[in-house]
Amino acid sequence: MSRELSPGHFGEFGGRYVPEALVGALDELEAAHNAAQLDPVFQAELAHLHKTYTGRPSIITEVPRFAEHAGGARIILKREDLNHTGSHKINNVLGQALLTKRLGKKRVIAETGAGQHGVASATAAALMGLDCVVYMGEEDTRRQSLNVARMKLLGAEVVPVTTGSKTLKDAINEAMRDWVTNVETTNYLFGTVAGPHPFPTMVRDFQKIIGIEARSQVLELTGRLPDAVLACVGGGSNAIGIFHEFIPDADVRLIGLEAGGDGVDTPRHASSITGGSPGVLHGARSYLLQDENGQTIESHSISAGLDYPGVGPEHAYLHDLGRAEYRPITDAQAMHAFALLCKTEGIIPAIETAHALAGALQVGNELGPDAIILINLSGRGDKDVQTAAAYFGIEI
Amino acid sequence: MTSLDELFVKTRAENRAALIAYIPAGYPTHEGCKRVIETFAKSGVDAIEIGFPYSDPVMDGPTIQAAAEQSLAAGTGAREVFESLKHATELGIPSVVMTYWNPIEKYGVDRFAHDIAANGGSGVITPDLTIDEADRWIESTHSNDINSIFVIAPSTVGERLEKVTSHCSGFVYAASIMGVTGARGGLSTGASDLVARTRAVTPTPIAVGLGVSTREQAKEIAGFADGVIVGSAFINALRDAPDLETGLEHVAQLVKELALGVREGR
Ligand SMILES: Cc1ncc(COP(=O)(O)O)c(C=O)c1O
């Protein structure tokens, strides 16, 4: 159902809205990806890395004490937080870094919001001997200073971006400008399922392993499919990653949780689907936050990784089809769920991920005690300790 | 035939290149932009590009980014863009709008093409609309009798070069380098190669932009192209001047030099 109708398009969404100078590189990347998908040598290489470096398959964990607060439904976490580097981002980055080597390029660039994709990119670059430059909004370098230090330790150059809102959206602009200029030597490791074709398709193909593993793990544990699969949605890569394998399972509800900031009825949120409209941003048609002139509106979220005014085109398509649902979660709701998981289960989640946990508290109460809910625990919260401490008034 | 088409008939007859000047709407202010347009017209510019300032200009370097940010902060939108366009065309200068795609889509594709024509505009340059996504836009430009101007890059080759240029009218925008806008010192050899390759596949005039700022560069490009596009250099002149009047004088001087350049190349 979510197969592209024409290459790079998901219904009326997706496509390529980029400077002509990038089209050749995108074609080259698309061809390399298509070939790699069919190449057993590439697949074996990636699988080996995932087994011996990422730590795949990631486990699932049932969380009954947390579930008591969610109407008693069974809640199961897919533990992407346990991956090397602490989030799902590594799944995508290792795939794209292997492709970079196949393209014969020696330099990679990446954008990052929370810093998780930047850290994953710097890690893969170190592992494979590539030069790495990470663009990061100046505002985010402050919010996620620990990850800036990690990237530097890994040998990457971190470039703070001072234009526009000084967050992820502007980091992407700057990375695109670098790519337009250096495309002959450089590959762009894009961090989510947004951007011009082939990124939404390629990143999804590297992330869908989450859902493939989780579906059989849940079947094995519970003997049936879950009633709902939940994930937070920034650009949408961890969500597509866990949704994709379940798309043909019509009875499984797919629910994406967007960053509601102060609330979608206020100007301060990052809910592109629930609070935005269709248009073009960063190379693809999808939902985005925009004003009456088509100018992108700055997003707001306590979570740097969700603080993005756009969303991947496949989510826009799944939304319009009615196959997936999207809901906003406010900063306050997310932080409540964050604290709850820490105290009931001994797991400190990323603040991004806490939005999915907050969604489970709602959905669990709606579905009742017989329900099974699978959540993508997309990342761990070490990087967020400063933000959370400030939020809860803990002195460091 | 648009007035832009007519311009290239004329400059070809005069055996010279056309000088095409870019200014973002609302820069340095809405009224100041009108003064810049008047200065362009008086000093020898052949055609004007009115930029639609955009929040996420990935094709632009620091100069135009900062100008767009300043213009947007002052509230520039579609209304100011069309007003500036009208101002330019009423002075008798063939003019186009240069805009990223999303402002067109938000405004309404047909409505945008219609209002370009209604304000005397000759066409639109769309730097991030790939030919692969352009069907609807091309239809609208046809039904409103305006030019659709797409950008080609040194990396555009073979069938793709034929396809993109076959949908260009007015002129083909040849990006001189792989990169973003901004004044640069030299000129890459890529530009003349690209123009030569493009000549082989289309009779449409070809204008070269990205990085052009001096009479010397204008002269060199005029040796092989039909048009020379200058943008960031005017913004630099306005930005670095102590006041608008001085800035306009510097713009006039630069236009006069560039106008000599486009006549010296052949
Ligand atoms: C832990 C974690 N979850 C989720 C996200 C959001 O990205 P996406 O929606 O692409 O999964 C991020 C982004 O930085 C992240 O670090």
Side-chain angles (χ1 to χ4, degrees), chain A residues 16 20 169 280 285 295-296, chain B residues 53 55-56 102 105 130 160:
Chain A
R16 264 186 201 168
E20 175 65 21
K169 143 183 125 60
V280 169
R285 275 196 96 240
Q295 310 289 349
T296 313
Chain B
S55 53
D56 296 277
N102 200 46
E105 179 159 331
T130 56
R160 187 166 180 89

Side-chain angles (χ1 to χ4, degrees), chain A residues 87-89 114 116 192 232-238 305-306 350 352-353 378-379:
Chain A
S87 80
H88 67 292
K89 298 286 182 186
Q116 289 304 96
T192 190
C232 66
V233 178
S237 68
N238 89 87
L306 304 184
E352 289 79 16
T353 313
S378 59

Side-chain angles (χ1 to χ4, degrees), chain A residues 9 15-21 23 163-164 169 173 177 180-181 183 279-281 285 290-296, chain B residues 53-60 65 69 72 77-78 101-103 105-106 127-128 130 133 151 155-156 160 178-179:
Chain A
H9 292 84
R16 264 186 201 168
Y17 297 79
V18 294
E20 175 65 21
V23 170
T163 50
K169 143 183 125 60
N173 291 340
R177 293 185 190 110
V180 168
T181 309
V183 66
V280 169
L281 173 65
R285 275 196 96 240
Q290 58 182 329
D291 71 11
E292 71 284 0
N293 280 302
Q295 310 289 349
T296 313
Chain B
Y54 177 55
S55 53
D56 296 277
V58 296
M59 255 293 276
D60 287 304
Q65 280 175 50
E69 233 176 277
L72 286 174
W101 177 249
N102 200 46
E105 179 159 331
K106 188 70 187 172
D128 67 341
T130 56
E133 309 291 344
V151 180
S155 58
T156 313
R160 187 166 180 89
M178 300 293 280

